[in-house]
Amino acid sequence: MSHYNAPFEIHVHGQVLLRADVDFSQIQAALKPLWQYAGARSLADGAASAYEEEPGIQFDAKTHMLQLCWTVRGDEDFRHSLDEMCMSLNELAQQGAAIEVTFYDAEFDEEEAPEDEEARDDFVMLFVGPTPAAIMQVQRDLLVQDVVNLMERHFDGSELAGVVSEIDKLFSQRFDALVSSLEIGKPPRGMGGNGHGGGRRPRHLH
């Protein structure tokens, strides 16, 4: 498929620690929705980013770390590829991880566009992990980091322990509710491990 006239440049960015027993063929299968979308016939063929300065898709066999810094041209239908990828990576992940995906409006010209026109950029945060608890841990850590960074403009870090404690309570309640729902609805099969969130953000600097 050709994406040269695609309305978006889509950047996938993140690091996922994989289990020690995971081999290249499993990684290639898990990431097939990405490299196949790019029109490649294999992971090796599709690992390169649309931008030469980005490292693309890399796997460090020594540290078992999958690194994603990869851009592809595409459309809204790329979101389906992301969902498939996340479900596959859940099976391979050693621990929870966040993957940032940014849709840049390739048709928007900031200099020529009317003042009241905005780019159709979008930002999605995906989460993968071996269990719902592992995914929630990553979500919790990111939220704590964001809240602390925001509040440290007004308070000393040592004053924010109570805020962090309240966030932990919220996630504990959410996890307890999840466990209860799973027990009621047994036997559950396969938890989806990706979450979505909208918003805008500047292009990654590489």
Side-chain angles (χ1 to χ4, degrees):
M1 69 183 72
S2 173
H3 294 291
Y4 289 108
N5 296 318
F8 293 101
E9 288 183 349
I10 307 162
H11 184 71
V12 183
H13 197 95
Q15 290 186 325
V16 183
L17 182 64
L18 304 181
R19 298 194 321 269
D21 62 319
V22 172
D23 60 27
F24 183 81
S25 64
Q26 291 173 286
I27 299 169
Q28 176 165 261
L31 298 181
K32 186 176 181 179
L34 298 193
W35 54 260
Q36 195 172 55
Y37 190 89
R41 295 184 177 182
S42 67
L43 176 55
D45 184 31
S49 175
Y51 289 97
E52 291 183 3
E53 65 268 24
E54 295 176 355
I57 301 172
Q58 297 182 334
F59 175 64
D60 188 327
K62 290 184 179 179
T63 62
H64 311 293
M65 186 69 73
L66 174 65
Q67 301 192 41
L68 303 166
C69 182
W70 182 81
T71 297
V72 66
R73 293 178 178 87
D75 209 330
E76 288 284 350
D77 59 354
F78 185 69
R79 297 176 190 269
H80 298 300
S81 299
L82 291 171
D83 289 340
E84 292 177 32
M85 177 198 71
C86 286
M87 286 189 286
S88 296
L89 283 179
N90 286 340
E91 303 294 325
L92 307 183
Q94 173 67 30
Q95 61 188 40
I99 300 174
E100 303 172 356
V101 184
T102 313
F103 290 73
Y104 296 104
D105 188 347
E107 300 172 343
F108 183 77
D109 189 319
E110 198 167 358
E111 294 182 358
E112 296 184 6
E115 287 187 15
D116 59 344
E117 186 176 331
E118 294 184 349
R120 296 174 300 142
D121 294 355
D122 192 19
F123 173 73
V124 179
M125 182 73 82
L126 305 173
F127 297 94
V128 299
T131 64
I135 291 169
M136 280 192 185
Q137 183 65 47
V138 177
Q139 294 172 329
R140 175 263 178 204
D141 292 346
L142 284 175
L143 179 58
V144 167
Q145 183 180 347
D146 288 345
V147 170
V148 169
N149 286 343
L150 177 65
M151 296 190 69
E152 277 186 337
R153 300 175 190 173
H154 309 281
F155 301 93
D156 187 83
S158 61
E159 299 177 85
L160 300 179
V163 175
V164 175
S165 176
E166 289 302 314
I167 292 174
D168 285 336
K169 287 180 185 177
L170 289 172
F171 274 95
S172 293
Q173 292 169 9
R174 175 173 289 184
F175 183 74
D176 290 343
L178 175 64
V179 171
S180 296
S181 67
L182 290 178
E183 288 176 348
I184 292 171
K186 280 185 176 180
R189 296 281 180 178
M191 284 291 302
N194 51 309
H196 298 270
R200 298 194 172 199
R201 65 177 335 185
R203 174 175 281 282
H204 268 289
L205 300 177
H206 296 282

